[in-house]
Amino acid sequence: MSQIKRLILSGITLLVVLFLGGSLFASFSEPQITNRLELYQTDLLLRASELKPNASDPANLAGVKNTLLGQDPVKTALEQYQSVRNSAAENLQQLQTRLTVSQDNPFPEEAVQSSRPTDPDTRTTPAPTEPATIEEQNKQLRLAVLQQQTLIDQLDLRIGLLQAEQNHTDAAIESWQSLKDRLASFQPTAQRPSGKVSDKNSTASIRAITPVLIGLWNEPPRLLPDAESQIQASLDGWFRDRALRRLYALQQRPDALAALEVTQQQVARQTLVKLTLVGVAPAIGGSLGIVLLLIVVGRWLIRAKQAPAEANSLAWQVPWTGETVWQVLIGGFFFSGQLLVPWVLHLLPLNFAAFGQRAQAINTLCYYLLMASATLLTLYLSIRAYFPLPKDWFQLKGKRNWFLWGIGGYLVALPLMLAVSLVNQQLWQGQGGSNPLLQIVLEEGDRVALAIFLFTAAVAAPVFEELLFRGFLLPSLTRYFPVWGSIALSSVLFAIAHLSLSEVLPLTVLGSILGFVYSRSRSLLTPMLMHSLWNSITMLGLFILGRG
């Protein structure tokens, strides 16, 4: 490699390091979506808690219900909502602080995070649609403040209903009265973004329903003329049913109460099935994964004693040096793919956000394909001088059954990722950034947009990322490190590439499992299958939660 090329790559590396460091540091103050996911599941639990087993139901239905829902689901839900509310208040304070700093300082350090390019495998709005000026960044921060405050308003509304259900009427009315007073003095500083936004979650809707709820639980009750229509328009799920039940009881409408009860039972049965899919199915898979993990560890210990040199035989024959790896990873993936391509696309006079979720989904997919193409072109140009490649490079079939290794790797990942996620939640306490695609899947109703997002996450991402990180990077590192060290290092780089601090630990674990199954099967189809299963089943679970 010429001295000029090394100097150019050194300069690019410095830019990439600054980009990665700034992106990871910026993600530290970004909230995770974990709490919101838990609330979606909590809402499903509340709906399922209405189920009343009858004579025609299986004998173990009551036991299944208690196992899934617990003894006091309303109390559990209230604690969960209050915990999320506290976290949301902290996030709001941080956003307000960042906005203040950004407005006071014409070149705020915090503003860098708003314009960083993003990876559509973990980001829903790529760089071409993100703000580039300080004014646009401040506008986005003001919008984030508004959205966070609206979230707190939604939580307070529901916390009051949960308190009322537990006969803490005074606490419920106090929650609603505080919310009413806050909304009365609220002056919006930004408009909601275009796209799918539920009317039930709007500030106007919350402002309209709050006095209705106060009147329903007041002593004596005060029933507003439009109480039923406001409840139907402003609440949903278990919370709507609870308010309607209170209204019908006060109005002495037994027929309406009976019809509501029938509907609740139908929905509760459907919801119990959804909870079984979301909760029980992964638990069964995780149990199988634990068994497989114990078998793999046991066989490894036995082979380590019998053939300690076997690990060396897993290494690849690498014809190129670390400079080629440097060129592909830094020059191709990070610089061309995550800096240059977004910058070029940003120059185009296109605003996909103005055309709805389908256009944004297509934009995300196109950006991802362009990023992958730029990286893979750099990879090809860097290694074509070494064609034909040695044995085992970029093989699809491999030495062993790629399908079984892919399924087995997914099952083993389930318990490991669950354990890591529990540690991660305690480590980051709701901060560290998260995957915006999760929220899109939870709330998006456009099936075409969802299909495009699913294709990006379940097909495009596994194919490209496994070609780069497992197909090229992992084997290349075996020139300098043992196989286990190469798996670990490539997994860390794989995790860092997703640009969120809170995702580094879980994605490193996931990447290690992907690397392990690839090094054993020698088939790229194995990690591609496992990666695709992980992304697609995760999105399916989110879809079920969102439709609950």
Side-chain angles (χ1 to χ4, degrees):
M1 181 180 288
S2 68
Q3 190 66 25
I4 295 178
K5 182 183 288 188
R6 289 193 183 96
L7 288 175
I8 294 174
L9 272 178
S10 298
I12 291 175
T13 302
L14 179 60
L15 289 176
V16 168
V17 169
L18 292 174
F19 160 68
L20 289 176
S23 298
L24 292 173
F25 179 79
S27 71
F28 177 76
S29 59
E30 295 177 0
Q32 294 184 42
I33 198 177
T34 307
N35 289 336
R36 299 296 297 271
L37 294 176
E38 291 175 352
L39 288 188
Y40 274 91
Q41 188 163 359
T42 297
D43 292 346
L44 286 177
L45 292 172
L46 288 171
R47 300 219 72 169
S49 68
E50 298 296 312
L51 181 61
K52 298 177 181 178
N54 53 46
S56 61
D57 289 328
N60 62 344
L61 181 61
V64 172
K65 176 185 171 183
N66 290 335
T67 300
L68 289 175
L69 310 183
Q71 295 297 323
D72 193 346
V74 175
K75 180 181 178 181
T76 302
L78 178 58
E79 293 173 350
Q80 183 65 46
Y81 266 89
Q82 289 173 332
S83 174
V84 174
R85 206 274 187 200
N86 293 335
S87 177
E90 294 177 1
N91 293 335
L92 176 62
Q93 185 176 8
Q94 293 175 358
L95 285 170
Q96 290 171 332
T97 301
R98 286 168 52 193
L99 179 60
T100 301
V101 172
S102 180
Q103 290 173 334
D104 291 343
N105 184 357
F107 301 102
E109 180 180 358
E110 289 83 354
V112 176
Q113 69 179 345
S114 298
S115 59
R116 73 178 191 270
T118 53
D119 174 0
D121 186 33
T122 62
R123 300 283 182 266
T124 57
T125 306
T129 63
E130 294 183 352
T133 67
I134 300 299
E135 181 181 355
E136 291 173 337
Q137 292 159 7
N138 288 342
K139 181 179 179 181
Q140 188 178 74
L141 279 174
R142 286 192 292 270
L143 179 60
V145 168
L146 174 63
Q147 291 174 328
Q148 198 69 14
Q149 183 60 68
T150 303
L151 170 61
I152 292 175
D153 295 340
Q154 298 166 16
L155 295 173
D156 285 344
L157 191 71
R158 295 189 170 201
I159 285 172
L161 281 163
L162 290 166
Q163 290 170 330
E165 178 65 14
Q166 288 203 305
N167 296 320
H168 300 157
T169 307
D170 293 340
I173 293 178
E174 182 180 350
S175 297
W176 291 326
Q177 189 61 52
S178 175
L179 173 60
K180 180 181 177 182
D181 295 341
R182 186 168 68 242
L183 291 174
S185 60
F186 174 70
Q187 295 296 330
T189 57
Q191 296 297 322
R192 285 184 175 273
S194 60
K196 181 182 182 296
V197 177
S198 174
D199 291 338
K200 297 178 186 296
N201 294 331
S202 68
T203 299
S205 177
I206 297 173
R207 183 183 289 114
I209 192 60
T210 303
V212 173
L213 297 177
I214 293 175
L216 284 176
W217 271 271
N218 194 54
E219 289 296 340
R222 297 193 306 268
L223 303 184
L224 299 183
D226 59 345
E228 184 171 2
S229 61
Q230 287 292 351
I231 292 172
Q232 295 283 7
S234 303
L235 297 174
D236 53 20
W238 180 91
F239 300 94
R240 179 191 59 217
D241 294 346
R242 270 294 172 268
L244 286 176
R245 179 182 297 180
R246 176 76 173 181
L247 175 65
Y248 295 157
L250 292 174
Q251 292 177 334
Q252 298 182 354
R253 296 168 58 186
D255 292 342
L257 276 172
L260 179 63
E261 179 68 21
V262 171
T263 302
Q264 285 179 334
Q265 291 303 302
Q266 293 175 346
V267 173
R269 292 177 185 278
Q270 297 171 0
T271 304
L272 194 61
V273 174
K274 293 181 179 181
L275 283 171
T276 301
L277 291 174
V278 173
V280 175
I284 295 175
S287 300
L288 293 175
I290 292 175
V291 174
L292 287 176
L293 181 61
L294 293 175
I295 293 174
V296 170
V297 172
R299 293 183 62 183
W300 176 80
L301 291 174
I302 294 173
R303 290 185 177 182
K305 294 180 180 180
Q306 295 177 348
E310 181 183 0
N312 295 328
S313 65
L314 295 175
W316 280 257
Q317 181 183 348
V318 185
W320 48 78
T321 66
E323 291 180 339
T324 301
V325 179
W326 182 21
Q327 179 175 297
V328 172
L329 193 64
I330 299 297
F333 177 66
F334 285 112
F335 180 73
S336 298
Q338 296 207 19
L339 286 174
L340 187 60
V341 169
W343 178 76
V344 171
L345 292 178
H346 183 75
L347 297 178
L348 299 178
L350 297 174
N351 182 13
F352 287 90
F355 297 99
Q357 288 295 344
R358 289 190 184 184
Q360 291 188 51
I362 294 173
N363 181 35
T364 298
L365 176 60
C366 291
Y367 166 60
Y368 195 88
L369 293 177
L370 286 172
M371 180 187 68
S373 299
T375 304
L376 294 178
L377 177 62
T378 305
L379 171 61
Y380 170 75
L381 295 176
S382 299
I383 66 174
R384 64 176 177 174
Y386 302 97
F387 288 171
L389 297 178
K391 183 182 178 182
D392 289 346
W393 279 93
F394 301 106
Q395 295 295 310
L396 292 180
K397 292 185 178 181
K399 298 179 178 179
R400 302 177 182 178
N401 192 314
W402 63 270
F403 183 80
L404 291 181
W405 275 89
I407 297 294
Y410 173 78
L411 293 175
V412 168
L414 286 174
L416 292 179
M417 292 294 285
L418 174 60
V420 170
S421 66
L422 295 176
V423 174
N424 215 42
Q425 290 179 27
Q426 296 299 317
L427 180 64
W428 294 106
Q429 296 294 318
Q431 296 301 115
S434 194
N435 186 345
L437 184 59
L438 303 181
Q439 192 70 28
I440 290 289
V441 177
L442 277 168
E443 297 184 348
E444 180 55 52
D446 191 319
R447 294 182 180 273
V448 174
L450 281 171
I452 297 172
F453 282 126
L454 178 62
F455 178 83
T456 303
V459 179
V463 170
F464 165 62
E465 293 179 6
E466 296 313 310
L467 278 172
L468 177 64
F469 289 99
R470 255 62 64 180
F472 170 74
L473 180 60
L474 191 163
S476 298
L477 292 175
T478 60
R479 179 184 178 107
Y480 303 99
F481 304 98
V483 173
W484 66 266
S486 301
I487 291 175
L489 182 55
S490 64
S491 300
V492 171
L493 292 172
F494 167 72
I496 291 175
H498 288 77
L499 306 179
S500 288
L501 277 174
S502 68
E503 295 181 331
V504 169
L505 180 58
L507 288 179
T508 297
V509 174
L510 183 63
S512 298
I513 302 171
L514 289 165
F516 175 82
V517 296
Y518 176 54
S519 67
R520 264 56 182 178
S521 69
R522 281 304 203 269
S523 168
L524 274 173
L525 290 177
T526 299
M528 286 179 183
L529 173 62
M530 178 185 158
H531 197 153
S532 179
L533 283 173
W534 186 265
N535 286 358
S536 57
I537 293 177
T538 298
M539 292 188 70
L540 177 61
L542 295 174
F543 181 82
I544 293 173
L545 285 177
R547 299 308 171 273

